[in-house]
Amino acid sequence: MRKLRRTRREVLGAALAAPTMYVLARSTGLLEMTRAGAAPAVLPPTPACPDADDVTPPQTEGPFYTPATPRRTSLREPGMPGTRLLVTGYVLSTTCQRIPGALLDFWQCDAQGHYDNAGFRLRGHQFTDAEGRYILETIVPGLYAGRTRHIHVKVQAPNQPVLTTQLYFPDEPANRRDGIFNPRLVMTVRDGADGRMGLFNFVLRMR
Ligand code: FE
C-alpha cells in the first residue's frame, strides 16, 4: 500500500512539473503502464466548456451489444493482437459540470473485425472518477463489412437516461463510405511511443 502511494505521488509530481497537462493515473494498471515507459494519457486540466449544441449525438446500438459486462478499465488481454489504444476524456453536462460516477460501457470488435458475442472479450464498463474523467485501455478495433473503424459506448450520468453512441477515428478512408459515421464523434487521436491515444469528451443533456 505504501509503495503504491509513493508511486502515485511520484507520478503526480512529475505531472505537476508539466505546465498545462497532467498525467491521468488513477488505477494500478495505468501506473504500471506509466512505469513501463508508455505514453501517459493526458488531459487538459480543465475541459473546454461545451455549447448546448455540442451534446454528444446518439448512434445506433448495432447488433452486438451484450449487457452485464465486467467492470474494468482495460479490455486488453495478454497476447491480444492489435495496436494498443488509450481513450480518455471527461463526461460533462451542457452547463460545463464534470459528472462523477457516470457509467461508460464500451464494446468493440477485435483487430480482425470480430465481436465476441459469447463472452466479454473487448467489453467492459467503468465509472468516471471524482473529476468526471474516464480512461479506457484497449486495442485499435479492426474493420468489418460495411463499417468504418469505431468503438461502441453507452454513457449514463447517475439517474439520467442512457446515451448510446460510437466513437470514430480521424483520417479513416472508410469514414466517407459509412452511412452511420458522424464527424462529431471523431476522437482526437495521437500516436504515442507505445500505441495510440484518443481523446473525447462526452457532453450529456441532463434532465
Ligand atoms: Fe460495431
Side-chain angles (χ1 to χ4, degrees):
M1 216 29 220
R2 179 170 295 177
K3 186 169 186 292
L4 178 62
R5 281 200 299 270
R6 186 163 58 238
T7 304
R8 205 177 282 272
R9 275 203 304 274
E10 285 166 4
V11 170
L12 292 173
L16 289 171
T20 58
M21 306 292 249
Y22 62 87
V23 179
L24 178 63
R26 39 180 267 252
S27 73
T28 302
L30 182 60
L31 288 171
E32 284 168 359
M33 284 187 284
T34 305
R35 276 199 297 272
V42 292
L43 281 176
T46 54
C49 248
D51 296 330
D53 293 344
D54 288 339
V55 173
T56 303
Q59 292 243 290
T60 175
E61 177 179 291
F64 302 125
Y65 178 65
T66 300
T69 59
R71 180 177 178 176
R72 54 187 176 183
T73 56
S74 180
L75 307 182
R76 253 176 121 224
E77 295 169 19
M80 181 179 274
T83 301
R84 180 170 173 270
L85 172 67
L86 289 176
V87 182
T88 187
Y90 292 94
V91 177
L92 304 168
S93 72
T94 51
T95 54
C96 212
Q97 302 302 304
R98 306 179 192 193
I99 303 175
L103 169 74
L104 299 107
D105 194 2
F106 293 98
W107 73 104
Q108 66 172 84
C109 65
D110 65 17
Q112 287 77 42
H114 299 127
Y115 285 88
D116 176 9
N117 294 311
F120 293 102
R121 202 163 72 102
L122 291 169
R123 302 173 185 273
H125 75 272
Q126 60 176 284
F127 297 89
T128 51
D129 68 7
E131 301 298 321
R133 297 171 297 202
Y134 71 94
I135 184 161
L136 174 72
E137 183 192 21
T138 184
I139 57 161
V140 175
L143 293 165
Y144 60 91
R147 291 305 319 276
T148 190
R149 209 178 302 280
H150 64 280
I151 296 173
H152 296 267
V153 61
K154 290 178 179 285
V155 189
Q156 182 180 30
N159 304 310
Q160 296 289 321
V162 177
L163 169 72
T164 301
T165 191
Q166 304 182 27
L167 298 179
Y168 295 97
F169 294 76
D171 306 320
E172 285 285 337
N175 286 349
R176 293 192 296 274
R177 301 189 293 269
D178 186 330
I180 299 173
F181 171 76
N182 184 334
R184 292 173 59 197
L185 293 166
V186 174
M187 298 180 285
T188 300
V189 176
R190 303 169 187 162
D191 289 319
D194 181 27
R196 309 187 81 190
M197 189 183 312
L199 296 168
F200 191 87
N201 294 335
F202 294 94
V203 180
L204 306 182
R205 194 186 306 281
M206 311 295 275
R207 289 184 181 167

